Amino acid sequence: MDIKTLYLLVPLAPLAGALIAGLFGKLIGRTGAHVVTILAVAVSLAASVLIYQDVQAGNHFNGALYTWLESGGLKLQIGFLIDPLTVMMMLVVNFVSLMVHIYTIGYMVDDPGYQRFFSYISLFTFSMLMLVMSNNFVQLFFGWEAVGLVSYLLIGFWYTRPTAIYANLKAFLVNRVGDFGFLLGIALIAAYAGTLDYAEVFAKRNELATLTETVTGWPVITAICICLFIGAMGKSAQVPLHVWLPDSMEGPTPISALIHAATMVTAGIFMVTRMSPLFELSDTALSFVLVIGAITALFMGFLGIIQNDIKRVVAYSTLSQLGYMTVALGVSAYPIAVFHLMTHAFFKALLFLGAGSVIIGCHHNQDIRYMGGLRKYMPITWITSLLGSLALIGFPFLSGFYSKDSIIEAVQASHLWGSGFAYFAVVAGVFVTAFYSFRMYFLVFHGKERYDQVPHDGHHHHDHGHGGGKPHESPWVVTLPLILLAIPSVVIGYFTIQPMLFGDWFGSSILIDAVKHPSMSHLAEEFHGAFAMALHGLTSLPFFLAMSGVALSWFFYLKRPDIPVAIKKLFAPIYALLDNKYYFDKFNEVVFAGGARVLGRGLWKGGDQMLIDGFMVNGSAHVVGWFAGLVRRLQTGHIYQYAFGMIFGVAAFLTYWFNRV
């Protein structure tokens, strides 16, 4: 098979699966839907592996497949850019998506929307693949919006739930805010570079660096980068555009895994990495990225400490880890950012699917306060969740350690404005992450069994129904993806850190100005192999902080559960602040939603009712009526009055005429 045919096969196979399952779901049945979509994603993964081998042999591709529109020298095209960065994303997206597809067979077994669900997740995979494979901003924006659209459908999959309707609308609207900035950045590129092709834009980077924006007086390159990053803030859920991500838990668990691990939230990280030739020209934009990422990494981690819903704990960990990736982008450590994106995709998918397995085993209870002692009932879920949690906190030799510690060291080596605060945030975040991760782990798998204490008050959110009684291990279609995801969560960091960070893996895919931003050069000098790095990690500050977090959570929640209760009472205002998620939702509700309602009411009352209806429509009618009333007084029907009027008129006309002459 021709290599270019393989390029087309990667995105089109999931699209074909989505169309067949979506349009002919009733015809092919439930089994047909999952067979077709799983086969399609498996074909896409196999094609991605073959393309990876071709790229490893030194063959890259950058070309247009189809010209959609040409106007004034500006071409809008569909094309592919196949290089190491693209291939890495293709492999991650397809592998995680395949695991989610298999897992879904067991998780959604009783759901009436089974075929529709498989159609959606295949379409989601297609959208993400189109985004990462694009070689121009038009196609990038198409994939960007397609991912957002399908996420709307998936988050609100159970459309009869008011909470799901609210969540998908929230995700849609918040992402539109970010997308406005993203579109503005693309418009600036089109205006000043005169092209939307990546290679052509990057070729004009030095020219763009000298230009100044006419309205604001900003350097054009800074304006472009900040606008593009605002788009990334929406997709990759950075403060203050993060509010949609925790609510996306209203979708089924497989969706949570897909959105949080391999697709939507990583789009922003990938995009900034792809735009590294532009971001390297603006230290202002990099500092902006760095500070936003640091705030997200630390303060979203705090929110994970007080969550009781098993999925929301993992959701807030995603927010925090996305902050870490963004911090890496801010210090120009783009390879480390995408390295953490890759390792995180595996262990975060593992944790989400593990949480879903617990939900199935506990008969759709999601509250970790009513679990405990599940280790003996769910041994496979227990061991895989433990490995995922250890990878998340950066335990030496596991994949999360290599990427997370590399970020911390890169920030330490940076001299950009904001790097001091960022270093404090990512180091403190290690303790916070370890604490809330193992709080969840200990409450779920260890301690006293509490599964029979679930209150039946209707306030506990249940994901899916599978019966009642004692907890039980999930079926093999659920546990198999857990095992297959646990393997890369443990080993992939060890085997890939050297080529991806300090080798020539990415080649020309990523551009770093080593003179201005020496973080990667500094790390390369300090790196002496994966094994040596892990050994050194056992004596480092992040390791001691992580172990302190684990030990404290063990003591608090297994030995002295009365202490967290006392702390909650003692620091009630702080708990209220965290419980209300720093009042971001309240602020948005009052200022933006409330402001929009006030504006709408003002336009309705003042504009529509008073100005248009009252003054223009009714006012003009009143004027016509008044004038008609005056004219009507002249229409009496008396001939002598008409004759008098004629005589008066003739006299007035003659007077005017003679005076004029």
Side-chain angles (χ1 to χ4, degrees), residues 137-473:
F137 286 96
V138 176
Q139 190 175 326
L140 175 71
F141 190 71
F142 164 76
W144 197 266
E145 293 302 308
V147 165
L149 172 64
V150 186
S151 73
Y152 172 83
L153 297 173
L154 287 169
I155 295 167
F157 181 78
W158 288 317
Y159 51 82
T160 54
R161 289 183 182 169
T163 49
I165 298 166
Y166 178 80
N168 70 352
L169 187 61
K170 188 176 180 179
F172 191 81
L173 292 176
V174 171
N175 272 282
R176 295 296 72 73
V177 174
D179 292 353
F180 178 75
F182 188 56
L183 194 58
L184 195 59
I186 294 173
L188 285 170
I189 289 170
Y192 286 97
T195 179
L196 292 173
D197 184 87
Y198 292 165
E200 293 175 9
V201 172
F202 297 159
K204 296 182 178 182
R205 59 191 291 272
N206 292 324
E207 182 186 330
L208 290 171
T210 62
L211 299 175
T212 305
E213 214 278 311
T214 50
V215 178
T216 60
W218 283 13
V220 164
I221 197 69
T222 299
I224 288 171
C225 291
I226 288 178
C227 285
L228 290 177
F229 180 67
I230 289 170
M233 286 168 65
K235 277 288 178 290
S236 293
Q238 299 296 292
V239 172
L241 301 180
H242 68 284
V243 292
W244 67 270
L245 194 60
D247 286 352
S248 70
M249 298 301 97
E250 289 298 329
T253 297
I255 286 316
S256 305
L258 203 54
I259 289 178
H260 286 244
T263 51
M264 190 167 172
V265 295
T266 59
I269 307 299
F270 165 79
M271 184 273 294
V272 175
T273 304
R274 178 63 80 195
M275 298 301 125
S276 59
L278 301 181
F279 278 83
E280 282 301 280
L281 298 171
S282 176
D283 282 3
T284 306
L286 286 173
S287 288
F288 180 69
V289 172
L290 180 61
V291 171
I292 293 291
I295 293 169
T296 307
L298 182 59
F299 290 96
M300 294 302 107
F302 286 140
L303 296 181
I305 296 172
I306 66 155
Q307 301 300 318
N308 295 315
D309 185 309
I310 188 170
K311 286 172 66 179
R312 284 186 179 266
V313 178
V314 189
Y316 279 107
S317 89
T318 300
L319 282 170
S320 182
Q321 296 309 304
L322 286 167
Y324 275 83
M325 297 175 209
T326 306
V327 164
L329 296 173
V331 296
S332 295
Y334 308 101
I336 302 178
V338 291
F339 181 50
H340 192 52
L341 183 158
M342 178 187 72
T343 60
H344 173 265
F346 294 121
F347 64 72
K348 187 50 55 73
L350 173 60
L351 285 170
F352 263 116
L353 299 187
S357 180
V358 168
I359 293 166
I360 294 172
C362 291
H363 312 290
H364 56 122
N365 167 44
Q366 292 182 206
D367 197 322
I368 59 176
R369 293 172 297 182
Y370 304 105
M371 295 179 184
L374 298 187
R375 180 181 58 170
K376 69 178 183 182
Y377 298 106
M378 309 179 72
I380 298 173
T381 304
W382 161 63
I383 195 67
T384 51
S385 296
L386 175 60
L387 291 171
S389 299
L390 288 171
L392 172 61
I393 70 169
F395 192 82
F397 293 99
L398 274 68
S399 61
F401 161 77
Y402 291 102
S403 54
K404 204 169 180 179
D405 262 40
S406 298
I407 292 173
I408 294 169
E409 289 178 29
V411 176
Q412 192 177 14
S414 174
H415 303 293
L416 272 177
W417 185 87
S419 57
F421 166 67
Y423 180 69
F424 166 76
V426 293
V427 170
V430 171
F431 173 83
V432 175
T433 301
F435 183 80
Y436 70 68
S437 301
F438 274 82
R439 170 183 176 265
M440 178 184 74
Y441 170 77
F442 289 132
L443 285 175
V444 172
F445 294 106
H446 294 270
K448 184 181 174 186
E449 296 175 6
R450 300 177 301 277
Y451 60 84
D452 55 346
Q453 300 174 18
V454 182
H456 299 283
D457 57 2
H459 296 294
H460 293 273
H461 177 68
H462 301 317
D463 205 346
H464 217 74
H466 292 275
K470 282 191 174 184
H472 57 83
E473 186 61 275

Side-chain angles (χ1 to χ4, degrees), residues 499-517:
M500 288 185 73
L501 300 194
F502 310 111
D504 197 31
W505 167 270
F506 290 112
S508 60
S509 304
I510 296 172
L511 180 66
I512 301 173
D513 188 339
V515 177
K516 288 173 63 180
H517 309 124

